[in-house]
Amino acid sequence: MINQVIRLTAPRQFEVFSIEEEVTDQTVIVRPTFLSICHADQRYYTGSRDQAVLKKKLPMALIHEGIGEVVLDKTGTFEPGQRVVVIPNTPIETSETIAENYLPTSKFRSSGYDGLLQEYVFSTPDRLVPVPDTLPSAVAAYTELISVAMHAVNRLQNRINGDHESLGVWGDGNLGFITSLILKRTFPDAKIYVFGLHKEKLDYFSFAHQVYQVDEIPEDLHLSHAFECVGGMGSQDAINQIIDHIKPEGTISLMGVSERRIEINTRMVLERGLTLFGSSRSGREDFVKTIQFLHEHPNACKRLEGLVGVHETVSKLADIGPFFEKELQNTWGKAVMKWEV
């Protein structure tokens, strides 16, 4: 079957490719409907990744956050017209000790493997999760990002000690907002503290126990555990600030991506017996838990609706670039497109 795939061929340049797709007895064909842009997509779009990486991975269809409607399911798992979220991580092997999102052999949409900027997405049923009627499409579009936060929170639960009194989140962007929101529901008795650079963004975290700009943190504030959701070179300052304010034997979850190596205060890591662990991407189990979480916490889902900062319809090739440009100018929230190309 011929499929139209819109690939980035060079920074800020999209082209349409006609691809012959194989249909087997395990194929599910999905028509993308609502898609959301991630920072990783923008790094490819703007050409800010290393040139060797761009040369290796382009041309490639962008976007790994999105939902669609089932057009055809050879397995009978889904009904035609049913909404599903597409899991971008695609493992080709299993391991008893390594999760699917950490297997080096796994493929990932919009990272060396075509993403969702396509006429149709050809998948298998295990890479799709049903979207309940209660979940708005604009929120469901960025289920992947929510699942990344869910994955990190679950990993923290498996590592921390019995002290859940206070949890800190460094980062006032989308990931920090989502992580804080999940923590609020997962640890209802804990005090959630959020730390960021921008007062106007911190104002959105009204559900937190307290918010602080990073240059105004009280010296006597001590946290049980913390999340770093900053990324870039700013993660260096964030991690070291966490180390300054975390209790002995606390746990630090690292989530922000940095293209360069950073320095951290290992002396205090050792002196306080701290645990640092990294989390990246997510797997099917995290998507299922995320959909269940959003269904069971309608108030949290309502807050996530408010996280959508840009919401427009993209109906032709020429609309894609301007939508990416608008997202670059967006100061708060996610950019979601209704995909009608």
Side-chain angles (χ1 to χ4, degrees), residues 131-151:
V131 177
D133 294 338
T134 55
L135 184 56
S137 292
V139 175
Y142 64 94
T143 300
E144 191 274 340
L145 178 60
I146 306 172
S147 75
V148 170
M150 181 68 69
H151 175 68

Side-chain angles (χ1 to χ4, degrees), residues 264-281:
I264 63 173
N265 186 357
T266 56
R267 173 178 289 276
M268 291 308 297
V269 170
L270 304 181
E271 184 173 315
R272 295 185 178 177
L274 304 179
T275 298
L276 282 70
F277 74 95
S279 294
S280 179
R281 298 176 176 171

